[in-house]
Amino acid sequence: MEMCMQLRRKKVDQPNPAEQQSNNESQRWFSRLRSGMEKSRKNLVSKVSGVFSRFTPGSEEFWEEIEATLIQADVGVKATTLIVDSLKERAKEKKIGNAEDLLNLMEAELANILGEESPVFAWKEGLLNIFLVVGVNGTGKTTTLAKIGQRAQKEGKKVMFAAADTFRAAAIEQLEIWAERVGGDIIKHKRGSDPAAVVFDAIQAAKARSVDLLLVDTAGRLHTYENLMEELKKVKRVAQREAPDAEIGTILVVDATTGQNALAQAKIFNEALGVDKIILTKLDGTAKGGIVIAIAEEIGLPITLIGVGEQVEDLQDFRPKEFVEALLESNGNP
Ligand code: GDP
């Protein structure tokens, strides 16, 4: 059965040059997203299509099969139950009789769970933005932070980095390299010093130098998880105290390849610290793209950016509707 989820044409009129450029950019963006999502798409689409092709209205067995498929694709039990219950009800109500209409219903359901876009930047003229970037080691925290800095620079903003992961000497060095590459200032102390003191100094420097965005790299591992959370809470308190007028965002980076672990980390960090937004990295390296749905449903926090590769442009704004299209689009489409 042909299960095409064709991209809808956005414009019928001939676009002007500015619109044309923006269309081209948006196509490039979509094609990077699409290729980054290759594994997840194959995993989810081939399985879902297989099951959907056996759709028989009223068959309980069919719904059980769909449920199992979504759970296997890391969509999570809670989100799966919600999706299946809603699909069942709406399919009955709308008297859906074929698989393609059902797939369209599912697309709408997934987009609904993912909610609205939550852009990473919300510049306010003259206001300091501070991002406390948190997450366990190896999730891609430091590279992601650097990529955000690069983006802000491109938008003409002044960026500063704070090396508040003082637990590892390598973390400070890595951030220094990135700061140089990106062209932002860096505030650092010696290894083993108090991260809250680094943040204190960084905020004073950021104010003095009229910085737009202060990116704080934090530790992702300490002797215990409790120590880590206490340290991060202190860093946040100091930031709030020293920059009461600033826009302070706590941004959690999680690695999609870790599947349900990413979900567990999001719960822990959010409970301890209060997370504002989530960045999901390494979606290109996994077939577990369904984790995006699980995070949105179970944690209820917006995903602001996704990583679909190691290049700077592979850190993309998370656009729920396009993401669902890229995830569900069948392989044969352009
Ligand atoms: P940290 O320990 O959390 O600071 O992690 P790093 O920033 O050092 O990143 C760990 C590795 O993940 C590096 O090799 C990054 O290039 C890689 N990485 C980060 N984001 C992505 C992504 O979206 N896709 C892929 N494939 N690799 C990524």
Side-chain angles (χ1 to χ4, degrees), residues 14 36 43 59 81 85 97 107 117 127 139 141 145 155 179 183 187 206 227 240 265 269 278 287 293 295 310 322 330:
Q14 208 50 2
N43 182 29
S59 156
T81 309
D85 286 352
E107 187 182 356
E117 243 185 277
L127 215 61
T139 51
K141 185 159 42 76
L145 182 130
E155 292 188 22
I187 302 298
N227 284 350
Q240 285 165 335
Q265 286 163 18
F269 275 84
I278 290 184
I293 316 283
I295 287 181
E310 293 193 70
E322 281 88 341
S330 76

PDB file of all heavy atoms in Angstrom, residues 14 36 43 59 81 85 97 107 117 127 139 141 145 155 179 183 187 206 227 240 265 269 278 287 293 295 310 322 330:
ATOM      1  N   GLN A  14       3.793  32.952  -7.757  1.00  0.00           N
ATOM      2  CA  GLN A  14       5.222  33.042  -8.036  1.00  0.00           C
ATOM      3  C   GLN A  14       5.891  33.841  -6.909  1.00  0.00           C
ATOM      4  O   GLN A  14       5.493  34.983  -6.656  1.00  0.00           O
ATOM      5  CB  GLN A  14       5.370  33.779  -9.381  1.00  0.00           C
ATOM      6  CG  GLN A  14       6.565  33.463 -10.191  1.00  0.00           C
ATOM      7  CD  GLN A  14       6.842  31.980 -10.427  1.00  0.00           C
ATOM      8  OE1 GLN A  14       6.142  31.069 -10.037  1.00  0.00           O
ATOM      9  NE2 GLN A  14       7.942  31.762 -11.069  1.00  0.00           N
ATOM     10  N   GLY A  36      18.642  13.671   8.390  1.00  0.00           N
ATOM     11  CA  GLY A  36      19.011  13.388   9.777  1.00  0.00           C
ATOM     12  C   GLY A  36      18.055  12.405  10.435  1.00  0.00           C
ATOM     13  O   GLY A  36      18.430  11.634  11.321  1.00  0.00           O
ATOM     14  N   ASN A  43      12.493   3.310  10.683  1.00  0.00           N
ATOM     15  CA  ASN A  43      12.022   2.483  11.786  1.00  0.00           C
ATOM     16  C   ASN A  43      10.517   2.660  11.997  1.00  0.00           C
ATOM     17  O   ASN A  43       9.744   1.702  11.948  1.00  0.00           O
ATOM     18  CB  ASN A  43      12.784   2.892  13.058  1.00  0.00           C
ATOM     19  CG  ASN A  43      12.413   2.051  14.259  1.00  0.00           C
ATOM     20  OD1 ASN A  43      12.035   0.886  14.108  1.00  0.00           O
ATOM     21  ND2 ASN A  43      12.524   2.615  15.434  1.00  0.00           N
ATOM     22  N   SER A  59     -11.402  -3.488  14.685  1.00  0.00           N
ATOM     23  CA  SER A  59     -10.587  -4.622  15.140  1.00  0.00           C
ATOM     24  C   SER A  59      -9.696  -4.219  16.322  1.00  0.00           C
ATOM     25  O   SER A  59      -8.816  -3.371  16.197  1.00  0.00           O
ATOM     26  CB  SER A  59      -9.707  -5.129  13.980  1.00  0.00           C
ATOM     27  OG  SER A  59      -8.574  -5.785  14.505  1.00  0.00           O
ATOM     28  N   THR A  81      -0.500   5.513  24.709  1.00  0.00           N
ATOM     29  CA  THR A  81      -1.868   5.291  25.160  1.00  0.00           C
ATOM     30  C   THR A  81      -2.761   6.453  24.722  1.00  0.00           C
ATOM     31  O   THR A  81      -3.871   6.255  24.201  1.00  0.00           O
ATOM     32  CB  THR A  81      -1.899   5.162  26.712  1.00  0.00           C
ATOM     33  OG1 THR A  81      -0.924   4.193  27.064  1.00  0.00           O
ATOM     34  CG2 THR A  81      -3.253   4.756  27.224  1.00  0.00           C
ATOM     35  N   ASP A  85      -5.758   5.897  22.075  1.00  0.00           N
ATOM     36  CA  ASP A  85      -7.126   6.163  22.544  1.00  0.00           C
ATOM     37  C   ASP A  85      -7.800   7.230  21.682  1.00  0.00           C
ATOM     38  O   ASP A  85      -8.958   7.091  21.283  1.00  0.00           O
ATOM     39  CB  ASP A  85      -7.125   6.626  24.012  1.00  0.00           C
ATOM     40  CG  ASP A  85      -6.844   5.469  24.958  1.00  0.00           C
ATOM     41  OD1 ASP A  85      -6.803   4.316  24.463  1.00  0.00           O
ATOM     42  OD2 ASP A  85      -6.643   5.704  26.162  1.00  0.00           O
ATOM     43  N   GLY A  97     -12.263   4.717   7.151  1.00  0.00           N
ATOM     44  CA  GLY A  97     -12.306   3.345   6.627  1.00  0.00           C
ATOM     45  C   GLY A  97     -11.013   2.945   5.944  1.00  0.00           C
ATOM     46  O   GLY A  97     -10.852   1.794   5.533  1.00  0.00           O
ATOM     47  N   GLU A 107      -0.861  11.904  12.202  1.00  0.00           N
ATOM     48  CA  GLU A 107       0.042  13.043  12.008  1.00  0.00           C
ATOM     49  C   GLU A 107      -0.456  14.244  12.821  1.00  0.00           C
ATOM     50  O   GLU A 107       0.315  14.903  13.516  1.00  0.00           O
ATOM     51  CB  GLU A 107       0.106  13.397  10.511  1.00  0.00           C
ATOM     52  CG  GLU A 107       1.147  14.446  10.219  1.00  0.00           C
ATOM     53  CD  GLU A 107       1.191  14.850   8.748  1.00  0.00           C
ATOM     54  OE1 GLU A 107       0.470  14.261   7.934  1.00  0.00           O
ATOM     55  OE2 GLU A 107       1.957  15.759   8.435  1.00  0.00           O
ATOM     56  N   GLU A 117       5.891  25.850  18.485  1.00  0.00           N
ATOM     57  CA  GLU A 117       7.329  26.074  18.413  1.00  0.00           C
ATOM     58  C   GLU A 117       7.802  26.888  19.614  1.00  0.00           C
ATOM     59  O   GLU A 117       7.071  27.736  20.105  1.00  0.00           O
ATOM     60  CB  GLU A 117       7.598  26.903  17.150  1.00  0.00           C
ATOM     61  CG  GLU A 117       8.436  26.183  16.143  1.00  0.00           C
ATOM     62  CD  GLU A 117       8.770  27.083  14.969  1.00  0.00           C
ATOM     63  OE1 GLU A 117       7.910  27.183  14.088  1.00  0.00           O
ATOM     64  OE2 GLU A 117       9.871  27.647  14.951  1.00  0.00           O
ATOM     65  N   LEU A 127      18.720  43.794  26.903  1.00  0.00           N
ATOM     66  CA  LEU A 127      18.602  42.890  28.057  1.00  0.00           C
ATOM     67  C   LEU A 127      19.588  41.731  27.939  1.00  0.00           C
ATOM     68  O   LEU A 127      19.742  41.152  26.861  1.00  0.00           O
ATOM     69  CB  LEU A 127      17.168  42.347  28.084  1.00  0.00           C
ATOM     70  CG  LEU A 127      16.560  42.126  29.462  1.00  0.00           C
ATOM     71  CD1 LEU A 127      16.500  43.429  30.235  1.00  0.00           C
ATOM     72  CD2 LEU A 127      15.163  41.550  29.319  1.00  0.00           C
ATOM     73  N   THR A 139      26.362  14.141  26.205  1.00  0.00           N
ATOM     74  CA  THR A 139      25.111  14.375  25.475  1.00  0.00           C
ATOM     75  C   THR A 139      25.323  15.338  24.306  1.00  0.00           C
ATOM     76  O   THR A 139      24.482  15.429  23.409  1.00  0.00           O
ATOM     77  CB  THR A 139      24.022  14.983  26.400  1.00  0.00           C
ATOM     78  OG1 THR A 139      24.582  16.113  27.063  1.00  0.00           O
ATOM     79  CG2 THR A 139      23.545  13.984  27.430  1.00  0.00           C
ATOM     80  N   LYS A 141      26.554  18.591  25.125  1.00  0.00           N
ATOM     81  CA  LYS A 141      26.294  19.884  25.779  1.00  0.00           C
ATOM     82  C   LYS A 141      27.238  20.984  25.287  1.00  0.00           C
ATOM     83  O   LYS A 141      26.787  22.044  24.860  1.00  0.00           O
ATOM     84  CB  LYS A 141      26.449  19.673  27.290  1.00  0.00           C
ATOM     85  CG  LYS A 141      26.108  20.855  28.135  1.00  0.00           C
ATOM     86  CD  LYS A 141      25.778  20.427  29.566  1.00  0.00           C
ATOM     87  CE  LYS A 141      26.703  19.365  30.110  1.00  0.00           C
ATOM     88  NZ  LYS A 141      28.012  19.858  30.503  1.00  0.00           N
ATOM     89  N   LEU A 145      26.285  24.135  22.944  1.00  0.00           N
ATOM     90  CA  LEU A 145      26.421  25.485  23.498  1.00  0.00           C
ATOM     91  C   LEU A 145      27.216  26.380  22.532  1.00  0.00           C
ATOM     92  O   LEU A 145      26.861  27.536  22.285  1.00  0.00           O
ATOM     93  CB  LEU A 145      27.134  25.311  24.832  1.00  0.00           C
ATOM     94  CG  LEU A 145      27.440  26.457  25.755  1.00  0.00           C
ATOM     95  CD1 LEU A 145      26.941  26.056  27.143  1.00  0.00           C
ATOM     96  CD2 LEU A 145      28.919  26.667  25.846  1.00  0.00           C
ATOM     97  N   GLU A 155      23.612  36.467  14.265  1.00  0.00           N
ATOM     98  CA  GLU A 155      22.490  37.409  14.362  1.00  0.00           C
ATOM     99  C   GLU A 155      22.957  38.772  14.855  1.00  0.00           C
ATOM    100  O   GLU A 155      22.146  39.632  15.195  1.00  0.00           O
ATOM    101  CB  GLU A 155      21.403  36.847  15.282  1.00  0.00           C
ATOM    102  CG  GLU A 155      20.715  35.639  14.698  1.00  0.00           C
ATOM    103  CD  GLU A 155      19.505  35.185  15.522  1.00  0.00           C
ATOM    104  OE1 GLU A 155      18.941  35.976  16.290  1.00  0.00           O
ATOM    105  OE2 GLU A 155      19.133  33.991  15.367  1.00  0.00           O
ATOM    106  N   ALA A 179      35.259  29.020  22.180  1.00  0.00           N
ATOM    107  CA  ALA A 179      35.084  30.476  22.316  1.00  0.00           C
ATOM    108  C   ALA A 179      35.945  31.192  21.279  1.00  0.00           C
ATOM    109  O   ALA A 179      35.507  32.156  20.650  1.00  0.00           O
ATOM    110  CB  ALA A 179      35.452  30.915  23.719  1.00  0.00           C
ATOM    111  N   GLY A 183      34.457  33.256  18.414  1.00  0.00           N
ATOM    112  CA  GLY A 183      34.789  34.682  18.518  1.00  0.00           C
ATOM    113  C   GLY A 183      34.104  35.353  19.696  1.00  0.00           C
ATOM    114  O   GLY A 183      33.819  36.539  19.652  1.00  0.00           O
ATOM    115  N   ILE A 187      35.007  33.444  30.302  1.00  0.00           N
ATOM    116  CA  ILE A 187      35.404  33.667  31.696  1.00  0.00           C
ATOM    117  C   ILE A 187      35.633  32.288  32.302  1.00  0.00           C
ATOM    118  O   ILE A 187      34.760  31.418  32.235  1.00  0.00           O
ATOM    119  CB  ILE A 187      34.289  34.416  32.482  1.00  0.00           C
ATOM    120  CG1 ILE A 187      33.960  35.758  31.820  1.00  0.00           C
ATOM    121  CG2 ILE A 187      34.694  34.589  33.944  1.00  0.00           C
ATOM    122  CD1 ILE A 187      35.084  36.773  31.745  1.00  0.00           C
ATOM    123  N   ALA A 206      29.895  40.333  31.834  1.00  0.00           N
ATOM    124  CA  ALA A 206      28.880  40.444  30.773  1.00  0.00           C
ATOM    125  C   ALA A 206      28.170  41.793  30.845  1.00  0.00           C
ATOM    126  O   ALA A 206      27.909  42.432  29.831  1.00  0.00           O
ATOM    127  CB  ALA A 206      27.876  39.306  30.902  1.00  0.00           C
ATOM    128  N   ASN A 227      25.183  15.783  44.545  1.00  0.00           N
ATOM    129  CA  ASN A 227      26.179  16.862  44.495  1.00  0.00           C
ATOM    130  C   ASN A 227      25.992  17.711  43.254  1.00  0.00           C
ATOM    131  O   ASN A 227      26.061  18.928  43.306  1.00  0.00           O
ATOM    132  CB  ASN A 227      27.609  16.298  44.439  1.00  0.00           C
ATOM    133  CG  ASN A 227      28.063  15.789  45.787  1.00  0.00           C
ATOM    134  OD1 ASN A 227      27.400  16.024  46.785  1.00  0.00           O
ATOM    135  ND2 ASN A 227      29.182  15.093  45.821  1.00  0.00           N
ATOM    136  N   GLN A 240      20.476  34.252  39.379  1.00  0.00           N
ATOM    137  CA  GLN A 240      19.226  35.003  39.636  1.00  0.00           C
ATOM    138  C   GLN A 240      19.487  36.210  40.535  1.00  0.00           C
ATOM    139  O   GLN A 240      18.925  37.276  40.342  1.00  0.00           O
ATOM    140  CB  GLN A 240      18.183  34.081  40.268  1.00  0.00           C
ATOM    141  CG  GLN A 240      17.571  33.138  39.250  1.00  0.00           C
ATOM    142  CD  GLN A 240      16.811  31.978  39.878  1.00  0.00           C
ATOM    143  OE1 GLN A 240      17.095  31.582  41.022  1.00  0.00           O
ATOM    144  NE2 GLN A 240      15.872  31.410  39.149  1.00  0.00           N
ATOM    145  N   GLN A 265      16.515  11.384  32.438  1.00  0.00           N
ATOM    146  CA  GLN A 265      17.339  12.562  32.760  1.00  0.00           C
ATOM    147  C   GLN A 265      16.489  13.827  32.768  1.00  0.00           C
ATOM    148  O   GLN A 265      16.638  14.686  33.635  1.00  0.00           O
ATOM    149  CB  GLN A 265      18.460  12.730  31.728  1.00  0.00           C
ATOM    150  CG  GLN A 265      19.580  11.722  31.896  1.00  0.00           C
ATOM    151  CD  GLN A 265      20.443  11.639  30.639  1.00  0.00           C
ATOM    152  OE1 GLN A 265      20.427  12.517  29.789  1.00  0.00           O
ATOM    153  NE2 GLN A 265      21.200  10.558  30.535  1.00  0.00           N
ATOM    154  N   PHE A 269      16.388  16.289  36.052  1.00  0.00           N
ATOM    155  CA  PHE A 269      16.858  17.681  35.982  1.00  0.00           C
ATOM    156  C   PHE A 269      15.704  18.660  36.176  1.00  0.00           C
ATOM    157  O   PHE A 269      15.862  19.686  36.829  1.00  0.00           O
ATOM    158  CB  PHE A 269      17.552  17.955  34.626  1.00  0.00           C
ATOM    159  CG  PHE A 269      19.009  17.562  34.605  1.00  0.00           C
ATOM    160  CD1 PHE A 269      19.395  16.258  34.352  1.00  0.00           C
ATOM    161  CD2 PHE A 269      20.003  18.502  34.842  1.00  0.00           C
ATOM    162  CE1 PHE A 269      20.734  15.887  34.325  1.00  0.00           C
ATOM    163  CE2 PHE A 269      21.353  18.147  34.811  1.00  0.00           C
ATOM    164  CZ  PHE A 269      21.718  16.835  34.549  1.00  0.00           C
ATOM    165  N   ILE A 278      14.213  22.118  26.255  1.00  0.00           N
ATOM    166  CA  ILE A 278      15.056  20.942  26.028  1.00  0.00           C
ATOM    167  C   ILE A 278      15.678  20.992  24.643  1.00  0.00           C
ATOM    168  O   ILE A 278      15.040  21.418  23.678  1.00  0.00           O
ATOM    169  CB  ILE A 278      14.217  19.654  26.192  1.00  0.00           C
ATOM    170  CG1 ILE A 278      13.844  19.477  27.674  1.00  0.00           C
ATOM    171  CG2 ILE A 278      14.964  18.428  25.675  1.00  0.00           C
ATOM    172  CD1 ILE A 278      13.109  18.231  28.010  1.00  0.00           C
ATOM    173  N   ALA A 287      17.446   5.411  15.697  1.00  0.00           N
ATOM    174  CA  ALA A 287      16.127   5.094  15.153  1.00  0.00           C
ATOM    175  C   ALA A 287      15.065   5.406  16.204  1.00  0.00           C
ATOM    176  O   ALA A 287      13.897   5.087  16.047  1.00  0.00           O
ATOM    177  CB  ALA A 287      16.069   3.629  14.771  1.00  0.00           C
ATOM    178  N   ILE A 293       8.429  12.504  21.018  1.00  0.00           N
ATOM    179  CA  ILE A 293       7.010  12.492  21.414  1.00  0.00           C
ATOM    180  C   ILE A 293       6.898  12.175  22.906  1.00  0.00           C
ATOM    181  O   ILE A 293       6.141  12.802  23.640  1.00  0.00           O
ATOM    182  CB  ILE A 293       6.217  11.423  20.609  1.00  0.00           C
ATOM    183  CG1 ILE A 293       6.575  11.437  19.123  1.00  0.00           C
ATOM    184  CG2 ILE A 293       4.718  11.521  20.860  1.00  0.00           C
ATOM    185  CD1 ILE A 293       5.983  12.520  18.317  1.00  0.00           C
ATOM    186  N   ILE A 295       9.081  12.687  25.280  1.00  0.00           N
ATOM    187  CA  ILE A 295       9.535  13.820  26.098  1.00  0.00           C
ATOM    188  C   ILE A 295       8.452  14.898  26.162  1.00  0.00           C
ATOM    189  O   ILE A 295       8.114  15.402  27.231  1.00  0.00           O
ATOM    190  CB  ILE A 295      10.864  14.397  25.555  1.00  0.00           C
ATOM    191  CG1 ILE A 295      11.998  13.419  25.887  1.00  0.00           C
ATOM    192  CG2 ILE A 295      11.154  15.775  26.145  1.00  0.00           C
ATOM    193  CD1 ILE A 295      13.369  13.853  25.452  1.00  0.00           C
ATOM    194  N   GLU A 310      26.720  16.654  13.142  1.00  0.00           N
ATOM    195  CA  GLU A 310      27.761  17.318  13.926  1.00  0.00           C
ATOM    196  C   GLU A 310      28.088  18.736  13.458  1.00  0.00           C
ATOM    197  O   GLU A 310      28.805  19.463  14.122  1.00  0.00           O
ATOM    198  CB  GLU A 310      29.029  16.458  13.925  1.00  0.00           C
ATOM    199  CG  GLU A 310      28.806  15.153  14.678  1.00  0.00           C
ATOM    200  CD  GLU A 310      30.086  14.415  14.981  1.00  0.00           C
ATOM    201  OE1 GLU A 310      30.852  14.896  15.826  1.00  0.00           O
ATOM    202  OE2 GLU A 310      30.326  13.381  14.340  1.00  0.00           O
ATOM    203  N   GLU A 322       6.761  20.324  10.951  1.00  0.00           N
ATOM    204  CA  GLU A 322       7.711  19.808   9.965  1.00  0.00           C
ATOM    205  C   GLU A 322       8.387  18.531  10.465  1.00  0.00           C
ATOM    206  O   GLU A 322       8.679  17.628   9.705  1.00  0.00           O
ATOM    207  CB  GLU A 322       8.800  20.850   9.643  1.00  0.00           C
ATOM    208  CG  GLU A 322       8.363  21.920   8.684  1.00  0.00           C
ATOM    209  CD  GLU A 322       7.724  23.099   9.389  1.00  0.00           C
ATOM    210  OE1 GLU A 322       7.300  22.940  10.558  1.00  0.00           O
ATOM    211  OE2 GLU A 322       7.634  24.176   8.789  1.00  0.00           O
ATOM    212  N   SER A 330       7.047   8.986   3.710  1.00  0.00           N
ATOM    213  CA  SER A 330       7.534   7.670   3.267  1.00  0.00           C
ATOM    214  C   SER A 330       8.811   7.825   2.442  1.00  0.00           C
ATOM    215  O   SER A 330       9.119   8.906   1.961  1.00  0.00           O
ATOM    216  CB  SER A 330       6.463   6.939   2.468  1.00  0.00           C
ATOM    217  OG  SER A 330       6.375   7.490   1.201  1.00  0.00           O
TER     218      SER A 330
END
